[in-house]
């Protein structure tokens, strides 16, 4: 009798584990998330969940800043509860998620016990495309005379971008002892899928900007203080640091040549390889949206500080 009871207990545990594994399987993978507050504009986030021996692990890319690991995740009444971390005021943030289909998530963000924004997720596309055999002749995205083809975004009431002496300049100098107002970013009116980008930039010492590819993946320009390598000049922000030993070397003109095909990017700085066909797991902080399958614009970050100068911005796309 005891043997039968023991066997039944083991079987029940095994079945429960199998059901739990089946329940969580629908949530695993990379997800392009859209967060919609009750008032205001929807904004992008990103999440990746994996199964490590029955334990769900993962990482989240919030609206801004760097990605971070989740604090934990568990199933509760058919929902996956993801402990995302703490909000600015100390409240614990969790995502309550359901999976209505194989490639979609829906849910709500909770801060403590209070319901917050709604959540919608789609399975991130593979974007696994071969390298094009031929490219078009490079053409200019900035004529050096005016801002035709570019439009300020965010904090547009404090737009500091000007065309001056053949350069696209964010004229937003830091004033010691003065709190800086957030200034506008600027983006192309044209959108791109795969491309080769050539761009030259002069970022002053202590300056901070960024070049957003498809409006979603930031190539860091300038510095965030030097403590985190993946936040310094030439990094794919928070995903990949510059090569070991690379210096920011600010206050002079420097050249970036970027090739983006699918979700693989190659970056050269002044002819030196910084990132060799590395995979972009997902959008970085500051992305315009999480629609990774779609073309997107270039945008240049101007909401930090420093008189950042850009010039000789050209683009090539795959030849049809």
């Amino acid at each position: 009798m005891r043997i039968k009871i023991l066997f039944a207990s083991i079987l029940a545990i095994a079945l429960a584990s199998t059901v739990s594994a089946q329940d969580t399987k629908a949530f695993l993978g990379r997800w392009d998330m859209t967060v919609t507050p009750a008032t205001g504009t929807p904004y992008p986030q990103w999440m990746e969940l994996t199964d490590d021996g029955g334990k769900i692990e993962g990482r989240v890319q919030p609206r801004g800043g760097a990605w971070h690991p989740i604090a934990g995740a568990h199933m509760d009444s058919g929902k996956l509860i993801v402990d995302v971390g703490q909000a600015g005021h100390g409240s614990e943030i969790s995502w309550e998620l359901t999976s209505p289909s194989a490639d979609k998530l829906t849910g709500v963000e909770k801060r403590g016990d209070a319901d917050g924004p709604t959540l919608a997720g789609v399975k991130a596309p593979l974007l696994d495309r071969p390298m094009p055999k031929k490219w078009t002749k490079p053409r200019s995205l900035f004529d050096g005379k005016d801002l035709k083809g570019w439009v300020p975004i965010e904090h547009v009431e404090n737009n500091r971008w000007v065309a001056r002496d053949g350069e696209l300049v964010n004229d937003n100098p830091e004033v010691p002892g003065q709190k800086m107002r957030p200034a506008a970013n600027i983006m192309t009116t044209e959108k791109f899928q795969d491309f080769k980008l050539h761009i030259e930039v002069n970022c002053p010492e202590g300056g901070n900007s960024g070049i957003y590819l498809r409006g979603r993946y930031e190539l860091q320009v300038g510095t965030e203080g030097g403590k985190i390598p993946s936040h310094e000049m030439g990094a794919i922000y928070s995903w990949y640091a510059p090569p070991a030993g690379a210096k920011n070397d600010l206050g002079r003109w420097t050249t970036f040549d970027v090739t983006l095909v699918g979700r693989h990017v190659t970056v050269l700085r002044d002819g030196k390889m910084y990132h060799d066909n590395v995979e972009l797991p997902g959008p970085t902080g500051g992305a315009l949206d999480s629609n990774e399958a779609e073309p997107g614009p270039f945008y240049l970050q101007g909401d930090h500080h420093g008189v950042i100068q850009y010039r000789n911005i050209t683009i090539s796309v795959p030849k049809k």
Side-chain angles (χ1 to χ4, degrees):
M1 184 67 177
R2 288 180 180 177
I3 294 176
K4 289 183 179 180
I5 293 173
L6 179 61
F7 177 77
S9 298
I10 293 173
L11 180 61
I13 292 171
L15 288 173
S17 298
T18 301
V19 170
S20 178
Q22 290 174 342
D23 288 345
T24 60
K25 186 176 181 181
F27 297 92
L28 302 180
R30 293 174 175 173
W31 297 93
D32 290 335
M33 306 295 296
T34 299
V35 183
T36 304
T39 59
T41 305
Y43 55 88
Q45 294 198 26
W46 176 89
M47 175 178 69
E48 180 179 37
L49 297 176
T50 59
D51 186 323
D52 184 10
K55 179 183 178 183
I56 298 177
E57 296 187 345
R59 50 186 177 175
V60 169
Q61 172 61 65
R63 185 178 191 176
W67 67 268
H68 61 81
I70 63 172
H74 65 278
M75 295 297 299
D76 185 0
S77 302
K79 296 180 180 179
L80 181 69
I81 312 300
V82 181
D83 298 322
V84 177
Q86 284 193 333
H89 300 292
S91 301
E92 290 291 335
I93 298 179
S94 62
W95 287 357
E96 289 190 359
L97 299 170
T98 60
S99 178
S101 65
D103 58 354
K104 290 185 179 180
L105 298 178
T106 59
V108 63
E109 179 177 287
K110 297 180 76 74
R111 295 178 179 238
D113 294 327
D115 286 354
T118 59
L119 303 169
V122 296
K123 218 45 170 308
L126 292 177
L127 301 181
D128 189 11
R129 295 193 284 267
M131 182 65 66
K133 295 181 178 180
K134 294 183 179 180
W135 297 85
T136 60
K137 183 179 178 181
R139 63 180 175 88
S140 178
L141 293 179
F142 171 62
D143 65 10
K145 301 175 183 178
D146 54 39
L147 300 183
K148 182 180 179 181
W150 296 79
V151 60
I153 55 172
E154 302 178 30
H155 310 296
V156 295
E157 72 286 351
N158 189 29
N159 177 33
R160 309 302 294 270
W161 290 95
V162 296
R164 186 168 63 208
D165 300 327
E167 300 166 3
L168 182 56
V169 182
N170 183 41
D171 197 358
N172 189 32
E174 184 175 15
V175 180
Q178 180 177 321
K179 185 177 181 180
M180 303 296 294
R181 289 175 58 202
N185 301 319
I186 195 167
M187 75 174 185
T188 59
T189 55
E190 194 173 354
K191 296 182 178 182
F192 303 92
Q193 189 63 271
D194 297 337
F195 57 79
K196 285 179 175 285
L197 171 72
H198 174 91
I199 189 167
E200 299 172 18
V201 59
N202 190 339
C203 179
E205 292 288 343
N208 188 351
S209 183
I211 302 164
Y212 277 77
L213 313 174
R214 294 195 200 121
R216 301 182 190 106
Y217 315 106
E218 182 186 6
L219 174 61
Q220 170 69 14
V221 170
T223 178
E224 286 196 347
K227 295 182 179 180
I228 304 175
S230 63
H231 295 188
E232 296 300 297
M233 184 72 162
I236 305 298
Y237 191 85
S238 87
W239 290 128
Y240 299 103
K247 298 183 182 301
N248 284 338
D249 200 12
L250 304 179
R252 68 171 182 86
W253 284 102
T254 191
T255 297
F256 285 112
D257 288 288
V258 182
T259 301
L260 179 60
V261 176
R263 63 171 66 253
H264 286 82
V265 65
T266 296
V267 178
L268 286 83
R269 182 185 180 191
D270 296 330
K272 180 181 178 181
M273 182 65 71
Y274 264 45
H275 309 288
D276 187 3
N277 198 38
V278 296
E279 183 195 40
L280 298 169
T284 59
L288 296 178
D289 61 46
S290 56
N291 304 324
E292 290 194 274
E294 298 180 6
F298 293 106
Y299 96 73
L300 306 178
Q301 203 170 21
D303 58 357
H304 292 313
H305 58 267
V307 179
I308 316 293
Q309 303 160 273
Y310 291 93
R311 70 183 184 189
N312 295 335
I313 308 171
T314 64
I315 184 82
S316 298
V317 297
K319 212 167 189 178
K320 295 180 180 179

